[in-house]
Amino acid sequence: MRKINIVEVGPRDGFQNICDFISTETKLNVIDAIAKAGVKHIQVTSFVNPKAIPQMKDAKTVAEVCKERYSDIEISALTPNLRGVDDAVAAGITNLSYVISLSESHNKANVRKTRDESIAELEKVLKKYPSIHLTLDLATTFGCPFEGIYTTDQVVHFVDRLVSIGVKDINLCDTVGLANPQQVRNIVSQVISKYPQIKFQIHIHDTRGMGLVNTLAGIEAGIDYVQSTLGGLGGCPFAPGASGNTSTEDLVYMLNEMNFDTGIQFSRLLAAAKYEYKMIQGNYSGHHLHIEK
């Protein structure tokens, strides 16, 4: 039975778009329910400027509690710059995601830097913290709301650049849900074939109802780590039309039914999603949330 590792990013990607502040207690309760369902990889927050994303102003507290509470779970956080990495490491988080966009326009909108500036700062991060586990989130891999769709060669060329500076873990992100299964298979198969030593992940949005099929296409092309959010909550706040992530409970249901090994108990995960849905108002794309039995 093939193992598929589910990386739950809802406490970051799901919560970041919610305007009303979610209490730290509620955030921790949702994370605890996810953990008790058997999820072993959870991105719990992001270390960003709270003026840009006020929802993450309690990042330090959330990170420290989770790091202390879950010794058997890979707890991670997203960071857009060196200062964020400094803050995350100070809070005890050494599994980090660092985001750069394939799109120059989206990178400027998202982190207010050119791609070259982001890469230069990433090199500083890798030099300062050589022992951290860093995943490079390559935003807009499958298309950009400002610049359109990229060719497979364009994606591979940028991956070349990332690998050349020492990146060892790359997350291919469908930031606004523009991907299709053929495109996912082509890109994933190309990068895995060229760089078998790199750990590739995928993060697919469900904006156009393609989340599950595109994620499955990535898995069939060789991906073993997939990101999703509880309830399908969230989307990029700096990408127009990016509402809706792939729902973790929908994804786990599909994979479990297909005899993949997720290690996750679906009934407990669904209970976690329904708790979140009850406690937090937001844009949910999950289907099982509305099925009574």
Side-chain angles (χ1 to χ4, degrees), residues 25 66 76 114 182 236 247 260 278:
E25 180 183 11
C66 290
S76 66
T114 66
Q182 183 178 41
C236 178
S247 158
F260 287 101
K278 177 183 177 181

Side-chain angles (χ1 to χ4, degrees), residues 47-49 79-86 98 111 113 121 125:
F47 286 85
V48 294
N49 187 335
T79 56
N81 50 42
L82 179 56
R83 179 173 178 177
V85 174
D86 288 338
Y98 186 98
V111 297
K113 290 183 175 68
E121 189 155 12
V125 169

Side-chain angles (χ1 to χ4, degrees), residues 3 86 110 244 289:
K3 175 70 174 177
D86 288 338
N110 195 32
L289 282 172

Side-chain angles (χ1 to χ4, degrees), residues 42-63:
I42 308 175
Q43 189 174 92
V44 297
T45 191
S46 61
F47 286 85
V48 294
N49 187 335
K51 292 181 180 179
I53 305 181
Q55 191 62 251
M56 298 294 134
K57 65 184 180 182
D58 59 353
K60 182 175 184 291
T61 300
V62 170

